[in-house]
Amino acid sequence: MNEQQRINELRKLLERYGVEYYVNDAPSVSDQEYDRLMQELMALEAKHPEMDDPNSPSRRIIGSVLEGFEKVVHAQRMLSLGNVFNKEEIDEFVTRIKKDVPDAEFVVECKYDGLAMALQYENGRFVRAVTRGDGITGEDVSNNVRTIASIPMYIDEPGYVEVRGEVYMPKKSFEDLNELQTAMHLPLFANPRNAAAGSIRNLDSNVCRQRKLDAYWYYFQNAQEHGIGSQEKALEAMSALGFRVNPIRKVCRTTDEIYDFIQEIGEKRGTLAYEIDGMVIKLNDLAAQQRIGTTAKAPRYATAYKFPAEEVQTRLVDIFVSVGRTGRITPNAVLEPVRVAGTLVSAATLHNEDMIKNKDLRINDMVVIRKAGEIIPEVVRCIPERRDGTQIPYVYPDECPVCGSRLVRLEGEAEHFCVNPDCPARIIESMIHFASRDAMDIDSLGDKKIEQLHEWHLLNSIEDIYRLHEKREELLEKKGYSAKGVDKLLANIEQSKQQPLANLLFGLGIRLVGKKAAGILADEFGNMDAIRQADEQTLANVKFIGHVTAQSLCAYFAEPENIELIEFLAAQGVNMSQNKKETKQSIFSGKTVVLTGKLNMPRAEAKKILESLGANVAGSVSKKTDYVIYGEDAGSKLAKAQELGTTLMSEEQFEQEVKNAKK
Ligand code: IVH
């Protein structure tokens, strides 16, 4: 055997040992033996650069850094699932399916709380991993997925294979990660799902590998092309190919059976090594799945049962209030740390004074907390039976905890406000908002840095952000500020001047002007002056804006201080305009259009173009459809359109019409 052949042999061998170890939990060789073979492979690969293969087991332990992720259009959309919340709704689902498929069987599986992923293989070789994205277009994250040890790079199956599943962060990895973040004084991850998503979207695959992700595979996308007829068989086949498939699953026939199994798993979900937020019920027969089909967003043949929000008890240790950028006061609960739905919770928002009063919350009370939508913890109620005399009623403050000025609670409003415009808390929060991602997106000017620079009197207002370059020397003397870091920060600030008008408008923090409203106003008026000069009625006439927001805008622009800020920003060269959005005149204006088949351009792009031409893009063909634009392999939608006599248009014709559209 020559060295090239040995390389191939070692790759196969190490791949197999990897599956035994990471997927089946049943290694047949010792760690030493595995390491020895890996060393041998790496030495040989170093001698034979011509045999380089990103799928090699050796490459999975040496990461690399990318510039960005490539967008990939899914051949078949990645759907999401409808939800059911109780036994009745499960029964409605089962009954509906049985109407079409009288002897239906269902596979019940865990619903993982991670991120959906598609893996593609060609003739046994891993070629690509793509995130779900918006379901139509995802991102190629192969580089990171290769670092997940349990995912096979070589499988024993010819042709094209696509499997889909969920990449997640095991509970243990999540705890280790947050411990590390704490030690390094970095912000904690809110939950395993966010941590997993952040890891998969990191451009440095070394980071992803250190995060110790794992995955379960639950969907064989083109199973039928491989002679597989049911979900049960698809799971078995994937498992046989070396994919990690969860043994927790059951084929059921009745609602009772499904429900009992769900209850059984629900009771022990706390003991699982990974988070599940529900169970998925899928019709077993794949041909029947296809017959039943999908709605625009989700399959009709499957649904997700969501577990009720987990409730736990803990002690309310203290209440403190914080001040937001608008001066709004928010009371917060300090809790004795407890685990809820997989994450450690030690704080919760209490919204306002009335909530504390209505729930009669007292300091040192035992309280019930739960995670609404599994992310934001809330205090549900207190447990008066567990009071022991040490409880103290909470007295709502009448002074701002930061600047000491008197708080104001307006008639009919639930919230208190600090109305001192010079309140440091408000100033800091407004700068944080201004620099944030959806506003001026000043990378490297995050919360912590703003707070610190404010403490050093280097940032006292939004204006100061654009004056920071005058303080370069001073910054360089500060601990933790290298010349490189400071110059990067200053460059980022400089660059932020180019942000679109909508971002600036949002960043100013005008009450009720969120991201969406800012975008609409920027599109409609095209520049800051036009918005400033518009009267209340003109603003209120803009679609989706309304009177209250218009009032708030006028109030903002009536303040000389705000005008000074805007003029200062303009003088600094901050972008104050953008092209007005003009809907071009075309044959699509006001028409309903359906896209079908494989188009050359990404579907999302086609949709965007059509919408910019004033069309309404619909998901299915009906009598109301005006045009159907079709690509290759168009199926039932095209047939239906022909049947209804809808105007058909090829992608080429569509492109021609786009060119014909005039301003
Ligand atoms: S099947 C048509 N099975 O839940 C197939 N999805 O809420 C649709 N998910 O986007 C997916 N565990 O990311 C399926 N056992 C499981 C799942 C699962 C988690 C995720 C998946 C999907 C989301 C829908």
Side-chain angles (χ1 to χ4, degrees), residues 367-381:
V367 291
V368 174
I369 65 166
R370 91 170 153 226
K371 282 217 204 150
E374 310 267 333
I375 300 198
I376 311 147
E378 64 178 6
V379 176
V380 184
R381 61 174 182 278

Side-chain angles (χ1 to χ4, degrees), residues 79-81 109-112 116 132 166 218-219 280 282 299 301:
L79 301 166
S80 67
L81 290 169
E109 303 167 17
C110 291
K111 182 172 189 298
Y112 315 99
R132 175 170 187 271
E166 203 88 352
Y218 49 66
Y219 206 70
V280 182
K282 299 175 184 169
Y301 51 79

Side-chain angles (χ1 to χ4, degrees), residues 319-357:
I319 296 176
F320 71 94
V321 297
S322 53
V323 193
R325 125 184 93 79
T326 56
R328 174 189 301 168
I329 303 294
T330 310
N332 304 280
V334 180
L335 305 166
E336 221 165 70
V338 269
R339 253 195 119 69
V340 198
T343 50
L344 209 57
V345 169
S346 57
T349 167
L350 295 171
H351 300 287
N352 53 49
E353 182 182 18
D354 292 346
M355 166 155 164
I356 300 174
K357 277 200 181 135

